Amino acid sequence: MKITIAMSDTAIAKELFERLESYRKSRGMSQETLVENLGVSRPTYARLQNGTCSLATFIGVLREMSLLEGLNVLIPNLTVRPSEVFRAQKKQHRSTDNLTVSGRDPATNTVRAMLELRKKG
């Protein structure tokens, strides 16, 4: 199942748990071995299913199953400083204040201006 914004946190936790379980089984690892290697109890591991485990437990499971580096894809490093984003938005806002397109929605003007700035950049 694809994880979407429309899903509840509990539904997402269950989906992630199912994926982790499938991955664990495909590697031929038992739950007992996994929890033993993690140093947690089975009930603690089972809390993954409803999303009530600690972040440390979740990271430990990812590490044990060699999935930890996937977090780099999930949450990439920010290469632009937030202050640069703010300045660019402020500058863009000033430049779009003067744009008018008769008969069009003001939001269209903003999108149009953003596309024009992208072409220039």
Side-chain angles (χ1 to χ4, degrees):
M1 174 189 311
K2 183 177 179 180
I3 294 175
T4 67
I5 196 166
M7 295 171 72
S8 70
D9 292 351
T10 303
I12 292 170
K14 286 182 181 182
E15 177 62 24
L16 289 175
F17 181 78
E18 291 303 317
R19 290 180 188 187
L20 288 171
E21 280 292 281
S22 294
Y23 193 79
R24 177 188 60 75
K25 290 173 186 175
S26 75
R27 296 189 66 208
M29 183 185 294
S30 69
Q31 258 192 14
E32 186 174 317
T33 301
L34 178 61
V35 297
E36 209 172 271
N37 291 347
L38 290 170
V40 299
S41 65
R42 277 191 174 178
T44 298
Y45 176 72
R47 287 189 202 127
L48 275 168
Q49 188 170 14
N50 58 12
T52 59
C53 73
S54 70
L55 184 58
T57 299
F58 182 67
I59 290 171
V61 170
L62 294 177
R63 183 183 310 278
E64 191 62 35
M65 290 198 252
S66 302
L67 295 170
L68 194 58
E69 291 185 12
L71 290 177
N72 289 321
V73 175
L74 178 65
I75 308 169
N77 275 335
L78 186 61
T79 57
V80 178
R81 295 186 351 225
S83 60
E84 292 171 351
V85 172
F86 177 74
R87 271 189 240 118
Q89 287 174 342
K90 193 173 179 181
K91 182 179 177 182
Q92 180 181 351
H93 181 68
R94 275 191 242 133
S95 67
T96 59
D97 283 346
N98 298 327
L99 287 179
T100 57
V101 179
S102 63
R104 298 234 174 135
D105 180 16
T108 306
N109 293 336
T110 304
V111 171
R112 182 182 304 275
M114 288 171 59
L115 290 172
E116 288 173 12
L117 287 172
R118 185 180 288 171
K119 288 178 187 175
K120 290 178 186 177

